Amino acid sequence: LQADPAKAKVIVEQVCAACHGVDGNSVAAINPTLAGQSQQYLHAQLVAFKAGKRQNPTMLGMASTLSEQDMVNVAAYFSQQKVKPRDASDKTQLELGKQLYRTGNAATKLPACMSCHGPAGAGLPEKYPRLGSQHASYIVKQLQDYKGATVRNNVIMTDIAARMSDAEMKAVAEYISGL
Ligand code: HEM
Ligand code: HEM
């Protein structure tokens, strides 16, 4: 299907904007920023919500109302928005967060996040999502959701989350939010 981001405007303004912002930069920390995220990744998440493979009652409701063409269009729309840089709100753990993000943790065989999500958190379109400037508490929630693989499942991220302590998740999330 051909993406038509202009056609997504009505849906975005009437539905998604309340939580994700009309430009994809969300204000409330429980709602992820979608701006600048890759089209493929955004589309894949909507499909996963609709199928119940990524479990979230709010987004199941939202995705259920969207056709395949709508999902292609809104994914294209948000991928074209500009992400607003954010500053880490809790700066006390930035050193640990930076170390985990850039080098991982040899003791627990945790790989460096940077190796996939990129040195500046921009990700790699079609492969790895952008993380930079995302809300820290949203990132922590996703890592917890991957851990145990009941709410959200991915071969790579489930293994990574299982190697992380709660303190490590918090620290790396704060560092990422400031990237
Ligand atoms: C997550 C799209 C409406 C609340 C997401 C994600 C996408 C998305 C792609 C996953 C982001 C990621 O993985 O980084 C949309 C679209 C909408 C819409 C296209 C309009 C049709 C809403 C509304 C709300 C909302 C109206 C609030 C009532 C959330 C929340 C999450 C989320 C809380 C995180 C879920 C989780 O923790 O797994 N949305 N959204 N969304 N959205 Fe929406
Ligand atoms: C997704 C964090 C390392 C590959 C994610 C997400 C987070 C995250 C928060 C969800 C993004 C969102 O919901 O918008 C981290 C952290 C890492 C790390 C903190 C280091 C401790 C890696 C590595 C790889 C990788 C090393 C590749 C080998 C992926 C992939 C996804 C993803 C493929 C998308 C999974 C899906 O579709 O649900 N990561 N990541 N990550 N990450 Fe990582």
Side-chain angles (χ1 to χ4, degrees):
L1 294 176
Q2 197 70 19
D4 188 346
K7 281 222 177 88
K9 264 237 135 183
V10 178
I11 296 172
V12 169
E13 283 170 2
Q14 292 180 359
V15 187
C16 327
C19 297
H20 295 287
V22 72
D23 65 354
N25 286 279
S26 100
V27 177
I30 51 159
N31 304 322
T33 274
L34 306 179
Q37 188 59 271
S38 85
Q39 187 181 331
Q40 290 80 2
Y41 172 79
L42 291 174
H43 177 260
Q45 298 315 303
L46 291 169
V47 171
F49 283 128
K50 194 170 180 175
K53 286 192 179 142
R54 176 174 173 183
Q55 289 178 30
N56 182 263
T58 304
M59 281 309 302
L60 169 63
M62 297 300 150
S64 300
T65 68
L66 303 177
S67 67
E68 174 58 22
Q69 181 71 64
D70 291 337
M71 293 198 272
V72 170
N73 293 348
V74 292
Y77 172 89
F78 283 118
S79 74
Q80 290 172 6
Q81 306 304 308
K82 270 215 153 50
V83 64
K84 286 189 190 136
R86 192 184 302 281
D87 212 10
S89 52
D90 179 355
K91 299 199 165 73
T92 59
Q93 303 163 75
L94 288 185
E95 266 317 304
L96 172 60
K98 182 179 182 181
Q99 194 186 320
L100 292 165
Y101 190 83
R102 312 199 83 83
T103 59
N105 183 347
T108 53
K109 295 198 165 66
L110 179 75
C113 319
M114 183 175 90
S115 61
C116 294
H117 295 285
L124 199 64
E126 301 185 41
K127 283 196 102 168
Y128 307 117
R130 141 178 278 284
L131 300 180
S133 301
Q134 187 56 272
H135 295 287
S137 55
Y138 169 79
I139 292 173
V140 170
K141 179 181 182 290
Q142 298 316 305
L143 293 170
Q144 295 288 2
D145 286 354
Y146 281 126
K147 197 171 187 165
T150 46
V151 181
R152 193 174 178 182
N153 196 3
N154 173 266
V155 246
I156 300 171
M157 286 308 303
T158 295
D159 178 67
I160 285 174
R163 295 174 191 280
M164 300 182 80
S165 66
D166 290 355
E168 285 182 326
M169 288 182 184
K170 174 91 173 66
V172 83
E174 283 298 341
Y175 176 73
I176 287 168
S177 72
L179 274 180

